[in-house]
Amino acid sequence: MKKIAIIIPAYNEEKAILGVIEELHKLLENIYFILDIIVINDCSTDNTAKLIAKSNCIDLHLPINLGIGGAVQTGFKYAYEKGYDFAIQIDGDGQHPPHEIPKLLAVAQEKQADVVIGSRFIDKKGFQSSAARRLGIQYFMWLNYFLIGKKIKDTTSGLRLINRKVLKVVYDYYPDEYPEPESIILYALHGFSIAEIAVTMRERQGGVSSINTFSAIYYMLKVSLSILYTYIRIKFQHTK
Amino acid sequence: MGRIQIITISVNLLFLCYVIWLIIKGKLREEYSFVWIACTAILIFFSFWRDGLTYMSELFGVYAPPNLVFTGAIFAIFIYLLQMSVVLSKLYAQNKQLAQELALMKQQMANKPISAKNTVHDENNNDLP
């Protein structure tokens, strides 16, 4: 039986995290997999630590705040070390409905995809984010398309599945800040097959986005640069 | 020897003593002290050889000797700042790794009971990097 790790990075998610874990447990009742819930508390300043310590999940507590990339990577490291076949990353704020998880698994197994990304923009259903954010997401789609020749519509989606082959790569390197668009480049250049499927997302149930208006410009610049650096680094490694 | 020479030389020597004291006290690592000692040595050298600055300016084609000092000093500072960023980046990476391993270890130590379908498996982890 396949072993699946659900990885939930949580930073100050006291309002939503228990709801997410509960929903996942309901999902567990009618799924034929070994499925573990791994919550990474990224040194939250609210009650997240206490809440997840008491709930029925594997709780990892970072002693310092590493940001989303470092937190997710902690989960990936756990999943790789414990021999999981798949790792599925979902947000701790309730944006990603757990009932979409079986869809990701089905695609990973049927289409033999190494990476499966849940996308808001294929069926254009559910929460679609603001126009400004969609513009940013599209910019990354074109940047990635230009570099790897593959169109991933929802480049910032945090609902993803990766298999064990990919886990081995992200064990060693995973971007720190705003890892989503950059990791797509990483996966593509390592030769992993990426599938994107339609999912319906909700508006966050609590907490705040890791990207606010003031840091939007920094975000765009930082991620663009990171994508280019990653592209050059991996291209260079492969030709060496 | 001019008054300014005496001032610069004594200030430089004091600075050198301070750097050495920091190393002895273990507050500064030897590899970072190197650049400070080298800078002080250069300054002391030119304090003694006052015409040296004019000579060097002519050699590089700089009209006003102080400009050479500023250009050289700013360049050195930039290089050193870049070096500091490299050191910081390395520290950040090491710090991150430590934090992650600590989190993983704490989880292992806690031995938290997890219900039926939510089980931790220890087999299959023989292909670790």
Side-chain angles (χ1 to χ4, degrees), chain A residues 31 35-36 56 81 176, chain B residues 96 100 115 117-119 125:
Chain A
I31 197 171
L35 199 141
D36 289 334
N56 192 9
E81 286 179 3
D176 288 317
Chain B
K96 182 176 98 172
Q100 290 180 330
S115 83
K117 233 179 167 182
N118 239 11
T119 41
N125 58 350

Side-chain angles (χ1 to χ4, degrees), chain A residues 3 25 28 31-37 52-64 66 70 73-74 77-78 80-84 164 171 174 176, chain B residues 89 92-108 110-129:
Chain A
K3 282 170 61 179
H25 276 296
L28 286 174
I31 197 171
Y32 187 70
F33 285 109
I34 295 172
L35 199 141
D36 289 334
I37 302 164
I52 65 167
K54 279 187 216 148
S55 70
N56 192 9
C57 65
I58 295 161
D59 53 329
L60 297 172
H61 300 270
L62 287 165
I64 49 171
L66 290 183
Q73 194 190 27
T74 313
K77 284 186 173 180
Y78 182 88
Y80 187 71
E81 286 179 3
K82 300 286 181 187
Y84 288 88
R164 196 161 171 77
Y171 188 97
Y174 194 68
D176 288 317
Chain B
S89 304
Y92 177 83
Q94 289 172 337
N95 205 23
K96 182 176 98 172
Q97 199 176 351
L98 272 177
Q100 290 180 330
E101 285 187 14
L102 190 61
L104 293 170
M105 267 178 80
K106 272 200 289 190
Q107 196 279 329
Q108 213 153 29
N111 258 333
K112 184 173 155 185
I114 309 268
S115 83
K117 233 179 167 182
N118 239 11
T119 41
V120 188
H121 299 258
D122 260 323
E123 74 274 18
N124 295 339
N125 58 350
N126 41 6
D127 50 350
L128 285 175

Side-chain angles (χ1 to χ4, degrees), chain A residues 22-52:
Chain A
E22 205 171 305
E23 266 189 276
L24 281 165
H25 276 296
K26 275 187 199 140
L27 177 80
L28 286 174
E29 287 161 17
N30 19 348
I31 197 171
Y32 187 70
F33 285 109
I34 295 172
L35 199 141
D36 289 334
I37 302 164
I38 298 151
V39 185
I40 301 104
N41 164 32
D42 192 10
C43 203
S44 299
T45 51
D46 64 359
N47 277 320
T48 306
K50 277 185 201 158
L51 292 177
I52 65 167

Side-chain angles (χ1 to χ4, degrees), chain B residues 44-105:
Chain B
I44 291 175
F45 179 71
F46 280 105
S47 308
F48 280 110
W49 185 32
R50 281 184 82 177
D51 298 331
L53 197 59
T54 326
Y55 176 78
M56 295 299 278
S57 306
E58 274 166 16
L59 198 71
F60 285 111
V62 179
Y63 290 110
N67 284 347
L68 182 69
V69 177
F70 289 130
T71 314
I74 290 170
F75 182 68
I77 290 169
F78 276 169
I79 297 286
Y80 195 57
L81 277 178
L82 182 64
Q83 172 63 18
M84 285 294 103
S85 302
V86 172
V87 171
L88 273 179
S89 304
K90 189 179 155 202
L91 268 179
Y92 177 83
Q94 289 172 337
N95 205 23
K96 182 176 98 172
Q97 199 176 351
L98 272 177
Q100 290 180 330
E101 285 187 14
L102 190 61
L104 293 170
M105 267 178 80

Side-chain angles (χ1 to χ4, degrees), chain A residues 188-226:
Chain A
L189 292 179
H190 273 96
F192 296 128
S193 61
I194 305 173
E196 196 180 17
I197 61 157
V199 295
T200 314
M201 289 192 195
R202 300 180 291 215
E203 208 156 345
R204 69 184 71 249
Q205 315 284 299
V208 284
S209 167
S210 50
I211 305 154
N212 60 47
T213 331
F214 297 106
S215 61
I217 294 166
Y218 171 73
Y219 173 81
M220 301 296 285
L221 280 173
K222 158 81 184 25
V223 178
S224 302
L225 274 177
S226 302

